Amino acid sequence: MLEVCVDLLGAILLSNSTLNDGPLQTTVKAQTRSDNGIIFKVNTNDMSSFWENGVSYYFFFLASGNQAYLGKVTNGAWGVCQTAPYTITNGGIYTLSVSVDESTNIIRCFVNGVLQVSYKDEALLSGTEYGVRAGKKGIVFDNLTTTSTIT
């Protein structure tokens, strides 16, 4: 169990841990004017400069526009894979989880146990590191856990 309060904008990457398939899960105390969530399949932990230069990863966020979305960063370039409408309450506590089925290249993303996004990526990233990312300081993540069994 890990509780993290992000005091600076940005990400916390667990560089000594690896995630292959998942599920990866955390709870987040959401704020309606911020994008916060899980980052996974990160390919590097070199954050010596602006941390996304040359880095690729996926992110599953609860977004400020009342949506859940899966995105992909490829060598620093952001893109949205798929979104789902999701009403976020300021200060609400939500459980986010993701799993990756590498045999089918399908990423599944859940909020409070309910599937929000199922996305097939033919160019699946190969990174194994993971963590959390906050778009605003003071965001609290709790119970960051992972297993190697896909659910």
Side-chain angles (χ1 to χ4, degrees):
M1 180 162 87
L2 173 70
E3 180 175 326
V4 176
C5 180
V6 180
D7 289 327
L8 302 172
L9 298 179
I12 295 174
L13 186 63
L14 302 178
S15 60
N16 293 328
S17 302
T18 60
L19 171 74
N20 290 318
D21 296 324
L24 170 62
Q25 178 173 297
T26 190
T27 58
V28 60
K29 185 175 181 181
Q31 295 195 15
T32 55
R33 295 185 182 165
S34 181
D35 295 352
N36 310 293
I38 298 172
I39 57 175
F40 58 103
K41 296 197 79 61
V42 182
N43 69 351
T44 184
N45 64 358
D46 180 12
M47 296 185 206
S48 58
S49 62
F50 175 68
W51 92 273
E52 288 184 346
N53 288 339
V55 176
S56 297
Y57 63 94
Y58 293 99
F59 55 93
F60 179 57
F61 288 168
L62 289 180
S64 57
N66 277 326
Q67 62 182 343
Y69 70 98
L70 173 67
K72 183 177 182 180
V73 176
T74 307
N75 293 322
W78 280 59
V80 175
C81 300
Q82 189 173 355
T83 64
Y86 197 90
T87 301
I88 301 163
T89 303
N90 198 38
I93 297 176
Y94 301 90
T95 300
L96 306 179
S97 61
V98 297
S99 65
V100 180
D101 184 337
E102 292 188 348
S103 67
T104 62
N105 290 357
I106 294 176
I107 301 168
R108 292 178 179 89
C109 305
F110 302 81
V111 179
N112 295 336
V114 178
L115 181 66
Q116 301 297 317
V117 172
S118 181
Y119 179 78
K120 184 170 185 167
D121 188 343
E122 295 298 342
L124 192 67
L125 296 176
S126 62
T128 60
E129 294 177 78
Y130 62 90
V132 294
R133 183 169 177 142
K136 188 175 188 179
K137 65 182 182 177
I139 303 300
V140 176
F141 294 91
D142 196 7
N143 299 320
L144 181 62
T145 59
T146 186
T147 65
S148 59
T149 305
I150 297 175
T151 57

